[in-house]
């Protein structure tokens, strides 16, 4: 089964592409890291308890206000009020907040990873030829070598990204939005890194145009992916687990090598400046 990593930067169009991939004619299962990241911090979970214990002293509005909708003082299930996500966002995005963001990531990411592995295994056992891993921080958090193919959804014009982000998340101020964009790698760097993997292992969906153009671009890119990963290969991997293990190991080593070379080049470029 192909692990198709879907990434980009904030508001470049990952969820829109993931909706296309999960509908006909593709009908691919999608494991959505943002969705899982919400589940693992619901009231009562260990993630929730750790976040409350670390962030509450510095963020007094960390929990949603006690209203009938949020279930009063103790929340709907009696395990606490849900997190006030915009407030937590302000505590971790912005200049000088990298340390706090790292703390949040170290609480949330391991739980996300565990749940995602479970969902991937389920998709494999159901005989899917591919599963989409929708992971916004795929490169930043080291998921890259795991994916047979990476699809980056990118825009060439940074203004398009900012406009879409502001239009979608109207609760964010201009500064909030800029802080969130700055918390991730530049999407054009992600596109470059992805193309470095070669067409078999890395494809870029450019999304500067309208939604109709995006659909056509996804169809074009999926034609390339499908050609490189035919159905018979998916069946061979399912019926022969040692072959799946060998193929996975080869893909991992190759991706790891490309990642290392790319990082070296970037370091050399930096040193030259
Ligand atoms: C800070 C939080 C509470 C803000 O919640 P909010 O509902 O406002 O945003 P949401 O979760 O929908 O994320 C929107 C986008 O922000 C970006 N983003 C989220 N977390 C991070 C992060 N730690 N670093 C950089 N970018 C991030 C992603 O592009 C994501 O798609 C939330 O983003 C969070 O819990 N982040 C930590 C978990 C994480 O890294 N999630 C990303 C996938 S694993
Ligand atoms: N080609 C397009 N034309 C017009 N609007 C678009 C296009 N692609 C995406 N959008 C809109 O831009 C916004 C951001 O897109 P989307 O939510 O898919 O991004 P995302 O990369 O998943 O964001 P996040 O990282 O925050 O989860 C949405 O409101 C979406 O409807």
């Amino acid at each position: 089964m192909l692990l198709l990593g879907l990434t980009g930067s904030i508001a470049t169009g990952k969820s829109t592409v993931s909706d296309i991939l999960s509908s006909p004619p593709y009908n691919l299962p999608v494991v959505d890291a943002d969705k899982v990241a919400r589940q693992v911090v619901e009231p009562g979970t260990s993630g929730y308890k750790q976040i409350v214990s670390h962030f509450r002293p510095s963020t007094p509005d960390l929990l949603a206000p006690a209203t009938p909708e949020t279930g009063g003082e103790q929340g709907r299930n009696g395990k606490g009020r849900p997190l006030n996500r915009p407030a937590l966002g302000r505590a971790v995005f912005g200049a000088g907040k990298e340390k706090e963001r790292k703390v949040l990531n170290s609480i949330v990411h391991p739980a996300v990873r565990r749940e995602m592995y479970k969902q991937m295994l389920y998709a494999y056992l159901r005989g899917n030829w591919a599963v989409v891993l929708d992971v916004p921080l795929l490169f930043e958090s080291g998921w890259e070598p795991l994916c047979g193919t990476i699809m980056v959804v990118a825009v060439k014009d940074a203004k398009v990204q900012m406009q879409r982000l502001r239009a979608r998340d109207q609760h964010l101020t201009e500064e909030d939005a800029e802080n969130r964009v700055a918390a991730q790698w530049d999407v054009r760097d992600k596109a470059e890194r992805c193309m470095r993997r070669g067409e078999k292992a890395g494809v870029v969906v450019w999304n500067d145009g309208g939604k109709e153009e995006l659909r056509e671009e996804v169809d074009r890119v999926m034609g390339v992916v499908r050609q490189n990963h035919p159905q018979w290969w998916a069946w061979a991997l399912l019926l022969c687990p040692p072959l799946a293990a060998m193929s996975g190991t080869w893909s991992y080593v190759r991706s790891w090598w490309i990642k290392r070379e790319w990082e070296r080049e970037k370091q050399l470029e930096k040193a030259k400046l």
Side-chain angles (χ1 to χ4, degrees):
M1 181 182 68
L2 172 67
L3 299 182
L4 178 59
L6 177 65
T7 192
S9 187
I10 186 162
T12 57
K14 294 175 302 292
S15 307
T16 313
V17 170
S18 139
D19 285 346
I20 297 175
L21 295 178
S22 62
S23 344
Y26 303 112
N27 295 316
L28 290 176
V30 176
V31 181
D32 182 333
D34 271 345
K35 221 187 253 175
V36 175
R38 283 168 189 264
Q39 289 162 2
V40 299
V41 300
E42 273 171 9
T45 58
S46 139
Y48 174 84
K49 287 177 197 153
Q50 291 177 66
I51 289 173
V52 172
S53 121
H54 180 84
F55 288 95
R56 191 113 194 246
S58 56
T59 314
D61 57 347
L62 181 70
L63 301 182
T67 61
E69 289 90 67
T70 58
E73 202 52 52
Q74 282 314 306
R76 279 217 196 90
N77 58 7
K79 292 181 177 162
R81 281 180 273 142
L83 296 173
N84 175 357
R85 299 179 67 87
L88 182 54
R90 281 189 293 277
V92 300
F93 296 122
K97 298 195 175 150
E98 290 80 9
K99 211 170 139 216
E100 290 299 277
R101 194 159 67 243
K102 271 195 184 150
V103 172
L104 179 65
N105 289 347
S106 72
I107 296 171
V108 180
H109 289 182
V112 169
R113 233 172 271 141
R114 274 194 300 276
E115 178 57 31
M116 286 185 72
Y117 283 133
K118 268 194 229 157
Q119 295 190 20
M120 275 154 35
L121 180 66
Y122 182 66
Y124 170 70
L125 293 175
R126 295 196 60 178
N128 289 289
W129 73 271
V131 60
V132 178
L133 305 181
D134 180 347
V135 188
L137 306 178
L138 187 116
F139 289 108
E140 293 91 331
S141 58
W143 273 76
E144 179 191 358
L146 208 72
C147 301
T149 297
I150 292 179
M151 182 184 285
V152 170
V153 185
V155 287
K156 290 183 177 139
D157 183 352
K159 273 191 242 127
V160 172
Q161 180 183 7
M162 189 54 77
Q163 276 161 6
R164 288 188 185 152
L165 176 57
R166 297 290 311 276
R168 188 195 58 187
D169 296 347
Q170 294 186 2
H171 62 282
L172 298 180
T173 63
E174 194 173 348
E175 193 191 352
D176 286 342
E178 277 163 7
N179 286 338
R180 287 190 177 216
V181 171
Q184 301 185 8
W185 291 7
D186 187 298
V187 75
R188 285 150 291 267
D189 279 343
K190 292 187 185 182
E192 188 196 328
R193 165 103 159 241
C194 180
M195 286 188 283
R196 187 65 68 82
R197 293 166 60 97
E199 206 179 55
K200 224 174 166 177
V203 284
V204 178
V205 169
W206 292 106
N207 185 23
D208 290 84
K211 287 202 175 160
E212 209 35 58
E213 282 171 64
L214 175 62
R215 167 109 231 171
E216 283 166 18
E217 177 73 349
V218 172
D219 289 343
R220 178 189 70 76
V221 160
M222 281 306 284
V224 175
V225 174
R226 205 66 181 104
Q227 206 174 4
N228 288 318
H229 299 88
Q231 183 68 46
W232 65 264
W233 179 242
W235 283 114
L237 295 182
L238 183 67
L239 296 173
C240 181
L243 185 64
M246 262 160 55
S247 158
T249 308
W250 165 242
S251 163
Y252 188 93
V253 171
R254 186 175 176 275
S255 302
W256 177 83
W257 184 258
I258 293 167
K259 174 175 177 264
R260 206 183 80 142
E261 290 299 297
W262 194 85
E263 280 165 358
R264 257 199 202 160
E265 272 175 40
K266 287 282 158 190
Q267 265 174 359
L268 275 175
E269 273 171 31
K270 247 192 200 167
K272 274 189 203 154
L273 287 176

